[in-house]
Amino acid sequence: MSTESSPDAMSRSVGGTEYSWCRAVPGGTGVTALALLFSKPPNLSHLQASIQKLQDSHPILRSKLRSNPSTNTFLLFTPSASTPLEIHTSDLAQSYYQALEHEMNTNAWRNQDNRVTENDVMFASLYNLPDQKWVVVLRLHTGVCDRTAAAFLLRELLGLIAAGEGCVDKEIVKEDGMGLPIEDCIPAGKANKPFWARGVDMLGYSVNSFRFSHLDFKANGLPDSTQYVRMQIGLEDTDQILGGCKSRNIKLYAVLAAAAFIASRASKNLPDDKWEKYSLATLIDCRALLDPVLSDHHIGFYHSAILNSHDVKGGEDLWDLAKKIYTALENAKNNNKHFTDMADLNFLMCKAIDNPGLTPSSSLRTSLISVFEEPITQNSSQSHKDIGLLDCIGCASVHGVSPSLAIFDTVRDGELDCACVYPSPTHSREQMQDFVDQMKKILLGSNVSQ
């Protein structure tokens, strides 16, 4: 009897967006890493019990992904009884960031043998660092856990770790089953698009992609790893930036994108008034827009992307450009493009995976940057101090089909903290550190009161 055919097992085929991630992850985009840095050694048995509690409460986290490369088909199934998740321990990482990068570049879903495989969708590791610190990392397949779900899991896990031996009895949110794909939850009529309009939009996306400007590529061809750089802004400056967004009725993602566009053009020493067209992918959490409405504790991938392009000629005011970026997204949302274009973008994503030569320098870069419509908000608590929590980072790999820079923004204790990831060797660490530093300089130099 196959694993998923036992009486209490659950199984289903993946949806369209999940399918795109199942195609993307083996190539290097979509390995999510949630890293926690501790000053105290975590109790391994308590940690294992906490992770088991999460899996028992959210069945999709203990599911397996069956992949058949010969037919490009994927199946999610949750065994009726699961074995405890083994926590891999390691002494190899020399730093917190090194552990994070190692996890993003560890890909259990890469199928090199062209055979049917079954893999877990979540893994856990504990790194013993040489400076008497410890790193716990959850590594997840993005197709079953988007950023909203990952942030929820992080909160739940920290609460369970803080409970110690009581984690087994601690009440947490429970889900009944794996949940539906996002396509099955779109309100009736919202995703409808005439056939001719779909063809026009597909042609527009394809033609425009050749007109987009990119950061300089340091190496041609396919990248082979993801690297990380961090942008942190202090409390007072963050407060000013968020206040500037509020007074202009825009969101944080727009000013981050505007800073990236201005920094990109400035990096090229172009003549005055030389236009560049930059592409922006904005990821939108659709849970509140679905039928039924979902919450952050519904684990799965419920984001949609909207792809917009913007012309930049140099000399732009940061806030004026941010307003244009925000308005463009709002117009697209008002036209339901987060639903109507979902299948189109999934199709084009898979086409790029199959044909890297369709992307600039065969690099698999599809836009300059990606941002999230809403930041994650996190606040420290006494329980975090009690368990020795020093830091936490959540991001995902991008060295398959993806932008040149993906920004995972968090407002933590009132301070902006951006995990920025990029493909290597397409872009170098020095190049991207300089790029992010320039973004920060532009953000800090903006005149909020204008």
Side-chain angles (χ1 to χ4, degrees):
M1 179 185 291
S2 65
T3 312
E4 74 272 22
S5 61
S6 55
D8 298 320
M10 295 173 281
S11 68
R12 66 167 174 81
S13 297
V14 298
T17 299
E18 292 168 337
Y19 175 84
S20 295
W21 285 111
C22 289
R23 295 290 315 282
V25 168
T29 287
V31 177
T32 292
L34 301 177
L36 304 170
L37 179 65
F38 293 96
S39 62
K40 300 177 182 179
N43 181 299
L44 202 58
S45 63
H46 293 169
L47 179 60
Q48 186 139 28
S50 298
I51 294 173
Q52 183 69 49
K53 180 94 172 181
L54 289 177
Q55 290 185 300
D56 290 343
S57 301
H58 306 282
I60 199 167
L61 296 179
R62 57 185 174 88
S63 66
K64 293 183 180 293
L65 178 65
R66 172 175 290 173
S67 167
N68 187 336
S70 63
T71 58
N72 270 332
T73 54
F74 303 91
L75 178 80
L76 279 169
F77 65 91
T78 304
S80 52
S82 62
T83 55
L85 183 70
E86 180 183 355
I87 299 176
H88 174 73
T89 57
S90 173
D91 298 319
L92 297 179
Q94 297 299 305
S95 71
Y96 179 40
Y97 297 149
Q98 189 180 78
L100 174 68
E101 286 189 353
H102 181 263
E103 287 292 318
M104 284 193 291
N105 292 303
T106 301
N107 196 334
W109 303 283
R110 182 182 292 119
N111 192 337
Q112 297 175 315
D113 300 328
N114 202 38
R115 58 185 175 83
V116 175
T117 58
E118 294 178 359
N119 286 297
D120 292 336
V121 299
M122 183 171 77
F123 299 86
S125 299
L126 173 63
Y127 291 83
N128 303 302
L129 300 184
D131 57 354
Q132 289 299 295
K133 292 186 177 70
W134 293 263
V135 182
V136 172
V137 186
L138 294 185
R139 176 164 35 94
L140 301 114
H141 192 294
T142 296
V144 301
C145 184
D146 61 15
R147 190 175 74 142
T148 300
F152 172 80
L153 289 179
L154 193 64
R155 295 195 302 273
E156 290 281 80
L157 179 61
L158 288 172
L160 290 167
I161 292 174
E165 293 181 357
C167 67
V168 176
D169 300 318
K170 182 177 170 63
E171 287 292 324
I172 64 172
V173 177
K174 296 191 71 171
E175 285 187 88
D176 182 20
M178 280 197 284
L180 296 170
I182 185 173
E183 288 82 3
D184 291 358
C185 303
I186 297 174
K190 291 287 187 180
N192 292 350
K193 181 193 282 190
F195 179 78
W196 63 267
R198 190 171 300 280
V200 169
D201 285 348
M202 291 279 280
L203 181 62
Y205 281 129
S206 301
V207 171
N208 279 332
S209 66
F210 292 102
R211 300 165 57 198
F212 295 150
S213 299
H214 295 266
L215 290 171
D216 292 338
F217 296 143
K218 299 301 182 181
N220 293 332
L222 300 178
D224 58 21
S225 65
T226 294
Q227 294 182 343
Y228 165 89
V229 64
R230 193 170 197 171
M231 182 176 73
Q232 293 175 294
I233 292 178
L235 185 64
E236 183 177 337
D237 290 318
T238 298
D239 191 53
Q240 287 191 354
I241 292 169
L242 294 178
C245 293
K246 184 177 181 180
S247 68
R248 292 166 175 83
N249 195 28
I250 64 174
K251 294 185 178 181
L252 177 62
Y253 78 86
V255 75
L256 291 175
F261 289 167
I262 294 170
S264 179
R265 192 192 179 285
S267 71
K268 299 183 179 181
N269 296 315
L270 297 171
D272 292 344
D273 295 330
K274 172 71 166 67
W275 291 86
E276 292 227 297
K277 182 180 287 291
Y278 294 125
S279 177
L280 169 68
T282 307
L283 291 156
I284 299 163
D285 183 4
C286 294
R287 283 173 173 79
L289 309 174
L290 299 176
D291 183 15
V293 170
L294 301 181
S295 154
D296 61 355
H297 68 255
H298 289 98
I299 307 301
F301 193 89
Y302 296 105
H303 276 67
S304 180
I306 288 180
L307 196 64
N308 280 324
S309 62
H310 299 273
D311 295 324
V312 179
K313 67 171 182 176
E316 282 85 1
D317 174 77
L318 175 72
W319 293 103
D320 289 345
L321 182 56
K323 185 68 174 180
K324 291 178 183 177
I325 292 168
Y326 175 81
T327 301
L329 185 76
E330 288 302 297
N331 289 340
K333 286 174 61 182
N334 289 337
N335 289 319
N336 290 321
K337 290 183 78 67
H338 49 304
F339 291 141
T340 62
D341 287 16
M342 188 181 293
D344 299 346
L345 293 178
N346 286 335
F347 175 80
L348 291 171
M349 183 177 179
C350 292
K351 278 299 177 186
I353 293 168
D354 292 334
N355 303 279
L358 296 176
T359 61
S361 302
S362 299
S363 64
L364 288 176
R365 296 314 97 201
T366 54
S367 62
L368 178 68
I369 62 167
S370 67
V371 292
F372 289 86
E373 184 188 21
E374 301 288 351
I376 297 295
T377 300
Q378 293 177 345
N379 294 300
S380 299
S381 67
Q382 184 58 48
S383 66
H384 294 165
K385 296 176 183 176
D386 293 341
I387 61 177
L389 179 68
L390 297 174
D391 199 0
C392 54
I393 299 171
C395 52
S397 63
V398 291
H399 58 277
V401 59
S402 68
S404 283
L405 187 75
I407 301 174
F408 296 78
D409 57 328
T410 299
V411 177
R412 183 176 292 111
D413 295 327
E415 299 183 342
L416 180 58
D417 187 356
C418 294
C420 305
V421 287
Y422 60 92
S424 174
T426 306
H427 300 298
S428 70
R429 195 179 295 275
E430 180 183 13
Q431 175 193 21
M432 300 310 276
Q433 183 67 64
D434 287 346
F435 179 57
V436 170
D437 287 347
Q438 185 65 21
M439 283 179 58
K440 180 176 179 178
K441 183 178 178 181
I442 291 166
L443 290 167
L444 295 183
S446 63
N447 188 342
V448 177
S449 62
Q450 282 185 349

